[in-house]
Amino acid sequence: MASNKINLAKNGDINAFHELYSDFQPQLKSYLYRLLVDRNEVEDIAHDTFLKAFDNVAGFDEKASLKSWVFRIATNLAYDRLRNRGRWSSDVMDKAKEHAHNNEYILVKMQSTSQHSKFDIREHIDFCFTCLSKVLPLDQQIAVILKDIYNFKVKEIATILDLTIPKVKHVLRFGRQAMTDIFDSKCALINKKGACHQCSELNAALNPKQKQQELFIKDKLIPKDADKRKLYNLRKALIRPINPLNIEGAEIHDIFMQINRKVEGEINQIDFNTNN
């Protein structure tokens, strides 16, 4: 059935191509959000990806899946925007926390927003995974997200990133190790000295349900003898079902991401009118 639609698409049937594209469009957009952390850019690149893929589908050789082929196009478009921005600094959370506390209008807006959203610790683990992944070199960030969140095979990631399989394995190993170490030093759920304000001080002030959720996840979900590698794997399992674009806490997380982008110099001001 899919092969018939691909043949139709190759012959210029845009409706057939749209049906194929729609099967993985939500996943593609959530992937782009984890890379770009900007909803407007996600929509722009998803739109451009669709047009570019349809324009070139006649040359799709079907050696890879259509999904991997489209993800490669989207990744290249995202890469073009991200390569000039640089990695986030490892202390981005500390800088964001200071910026928020020093700007009353931000705190007021976050307090207002948080009244309408339910605190879910899994969503915040997802947020932190996205945030911390932006500390990595771009190829490591993309490989880790594709493999550990979207479960792409190494061979597929090699196609998407235009790398050899050994190189992908190398990039994944170093990316995972870096993520594991960063979580171990910063996650306030695990390390009492953790600096991650999204899962600790700032969010606790915004939502009193946090402490209850923290206790729940520690008692029910975190093994007493878990080492940092097991905890990394646990985080992956918890966040794989989450689409950051349609979670209940999406609006407050968008504000957090904008604060991070502000302190990293990616944007000049925070837009509280972003549509969710």
Side-chain angles (χ1 to χ4, degrees):
M1 184 68 174
S3 60
N4 290 337
K5 288 181 181 179
I6 289 175
N7 288 333
L8 289 171
K10 286 184 173 183
N11 287 315
D13 189 335
I14 193 169
N15 291 323
F17 183 76
H18 187 266
E19 286 186 43
L20 293 166
Y21 179 85
S22 295
D23 287 342
F24 50 79
Q25 183 185 42
Q27 195 176 66
L28 178 69
K29 286 187 175 182
S30 70
Y31 162 68
L32 288 171
Y33 182 77
R34 287 187 164 103
L35 295 182
L36 298 158
V37 297
D38 183 292
R39 288 172 179 267
N40 292 327
E41 287 191 320
V42 167
E43 292 301 323
D44 288 346
I45 291 183
H47 177 70
D48 291 347
T49 297
F50 176 84
L51 294 178
K52 188 170 184 178
F54 180 66
D55 286 344
N56 291 278
V57 71
F60 171 52
D61 59 15
E62 301 183 49
K63 290 181 180 178
S65 68
L66 181 70
K67 178 181 176 181
S68 296
W69 183 74
V70 171
F71 265 70
R72 178 175 180 170
I73 293 172
T75 299
N76 286 337
L77 291 171
Y79 227 114
D80 289 341
R81 299 205 185 191
L82 290 168
R83 72 175 77 234
N84 295 323
R85 296 180 186 175
R87 298 150 60 181
W88 285 5
S89 56
S90 59
D91 63 344
V92 59
M93 296 175 183
D94 303 287
K95 292 190 295 184
K97 174 183 172 181
E98 181 180 2
H99 183 77
H101 279 302
N102 289 336
N103 290 272
E104 186 176 354
Y105 75 98
I106 294 178
L107 288 176
V108 170
K109 175 62 180 177
M110 289 193 297
Q111 288 169 345
S112 173
T113 302
S114 67
Q115 292 176 3
H116 307 292
S117 61
K118 175 184 177 183
F119 183 87
D120 189 316
I121 197 69
R122 295 169 184 83
E123 294 178 5
H124 282 267
I125 292 173
D126 178 67
F127 172 93
C128 286
F129 194 101
T130 296
C131 182
L132 295 180
S133 75
K134 292 185 71 62
V135 175
L136 304 178
L138 193 49
D139 59 347
Q140 291 184 18
Q141 179 196 8
I142 291 171
V144 165
I145 290 174
L146 287 172
K147 180 62 178 172
D148 291 346
I149 305 301
Y150 297 98
N151 205 29
F152 277 86
K153 297 177 181 177
V154 170
K155 183 179 179 180
E156 294 172 319
I157 298 172
T159 297
I160 293 168
L161 287 175
D162 195 23
L163 298 174
T164 64
I165 289 176
K167 178 63 175 177
V168 170
K169 290 180 178 179
H170 173 83
V171 166
L172 270 173
R173 179 163 65 88
F174 278 90
R176 284 168 167 167
Q177 185 60 56
M179 287 288 286
T180 300
D181 291 342
I182 295 169
F183 265 121
D184 188 58
S185 64
K186 287 190 175 294
C187 181
L189 286 173
I190 310 303
N191 182 347
K192 291 183 179 179
K193 297 181 180 180
C196 181
H197 72 281
Q198 276 83 2
C199 289
S200 57
E201 299 172 15
L202 192 55
N203 231 337
L206 298 174
N207 198 318
K209 296 178 182 178
Q210 176 177 329
K211 291 299 181 183
Q212 183 179 354
Q213 284 276 355
E214 284 186 10
L215 292 173
F216 171 79
I217 197 170
K218 285 181 177 179
D219 291 343
K220 303 296 183 182
L221 299 177
I222 298 179
K224 303 298 182 183
D225 61 344
D227 59 23
K228 60 184 181 181
R229 180 171 296 182
K230 288 181 180 178
L231 289 169
Y232 177 79
N233 291 333
L234 173 63
R235 291 183 179 97
K236 291 191 304 183
L238 287 172
I239 67 181
R240 273 180 176 167
I242 293 175
N243 182 338
L245 290 169
N246 59 21
I247 56 176
E248 199 156 357
E251 187 176 358
I252 192 71
H253 285 181
D254 280 347
I255 294 174
F256 278 135
M257 284 299 186
Q258 286 195 68
I259 298 171
N260 289 351
R261 296 187 70 199
K262 167 69 174 174
V263 300
E264 288 298 315
E266 288 188 5
I267 57 176
N268 293 323
Q269 61 183 15
I270 297 168
D271 180 10
F272 290 129
N273 297 314
T274 300
N275 294 323
N276 289 315

